[in-house]
Amino acid sequence: MTIACLHTAESNIAIYETAARVLGLPDGTLRHHVRADLLLSAEAAGRLTEEISGETAALLWHLAEDADAVVLNCSTLGPAATKVAPGAAAPIIRADATLADEAVRAGGKIIVLCTVETTLAPTTALFEAAAKATGAEIEVRLVPGAWALFRAGDLSGYLASIADAVKTAYCEGAVTIAFAQASMTDAGRLLPEGYRQPMSGPVTALAAAMAKIAG
């Protein structure tokens, strides 16, 4: 089994490898591809443009030709998956879509935390569409200043700011908290004992890929 993973940050490789071990996948199952330039271009444009979406779609199509499934692990680029998924040679899994489907199942108040501004619009659209099935109440929030810390290489500060946002969200009555980006995953380790762990995309995305491969 080979699952191709398209990332926009090198640091997400380790996060996905940890998720693969949690699911019992053999070493070497994941094939990682990093295209940080695609997210940088979207940030510079302030949104996912047609050109960036088209380039992402073409890359996904190419990856599907040599894999059993493809996981797109970038919520900003997520909408590009819809361009190619129907005709691709292998299933293309949009990580944020699988996360949205899982997060809304329990209903109630769901707070989705984001750190990248270009993620806000596609994430909001995705979670609100998923919530129609359960009547969940969706609120998407940007963690102020977090992405600047990430870009500066201050991963500890980045994760700490996210953990603080999680505490605030739970205090405000969130039933479920979801992390819109895989890079946020390890912030859950900074929460005090007794806090419910927020949901993150890597495990749900890889589980969805495995299910598609199994048929």
Side-chain angles (χ1 to χ4, degrees):
M1 181 192 301
T2 300
I3 301 174
C5 300
L6 178 56
H7 307 286
T8 51
E10 188 87 26
S11 56
N12 286 336
I13 293 176
I15 294 170
Y16 263 75
E17 287 293 341
T18 298
R21 287 192 291 273
V22 168
L23 293 169
L25 290 172
D27 290 345
T29 298
L30 305 187
R31 186 180 300 156
H32 300 285
H33 303 265
V34 181
R35 286 291 304 271
D37 60 301
L38 293 172
L39 179 56
L40 286 169
S41 295
E43 288 182 53
R47 61 187 178 87
L48 177 63
T49 65
E50 281 298 317
E51 182 179 356
I52 300 166
S53 180
E55 187 174 355
T56 303
L59 178 55
L60 292 170
W61 183 275
H62 174 70
L63 294 176
E65 293 176 338
D66 193 32
D68 297 302
V70 179
V71 172
L72 173 56
N73 173 41
C74 178
S75 43
T76 295
L77 303 179
T82 60
K83 293 178 177 289
V84 292
I92 295 177
I93 309 299
R94 183 177 167 180
D96 55 355
T98 61
L99 177 63
D101 289 341
E102 288 291 325
V104 302
R105 285 187 178 180
K109 183 176 181 178
I110 299 168
I111 294 180
V112 188
L113 297 178
C114 303
T115 56
V116 183
E117 193 166 355
T118 52
T119 293
L120 287 172
T123 297
T124 299
L126 197 63
F127 273 79
E128 287 183 348
K132 291 178 181 177
T134 62
E137 176 191 347
I138 303 296
E139 181 183 345
V140 180
R141 296 181 178 179
L142 186 70
V143 182
W147 196 240
L149 293 170
F150 183 89
R151 286 299 192 203
D154 184 1
L155 188 58
S156 295
Y158 174 68
L159 295 176
S161 67
I162 296 165
D164 287 342
V166 170
K167 296 173 191 175
T168 298
Y170 275 135
C171 286
E172 293 177 2
V175 172
T176 301
I177 294 174
F179 288 153
Q181 290 114 248
S183 61
M184 305 169 72
T185 301
D186 289 342
R189 299 178 184 176
L190 303 181
L191 295 173
E193 187 175 349
Y195 272 76
R196 297 189 305 281
Q197 283 292 308
M199 297 182 67
S200 187
V203 170
T204 57
L206 293 179
M210 292 167 64
K212 287 286 188 181
I213 293 169

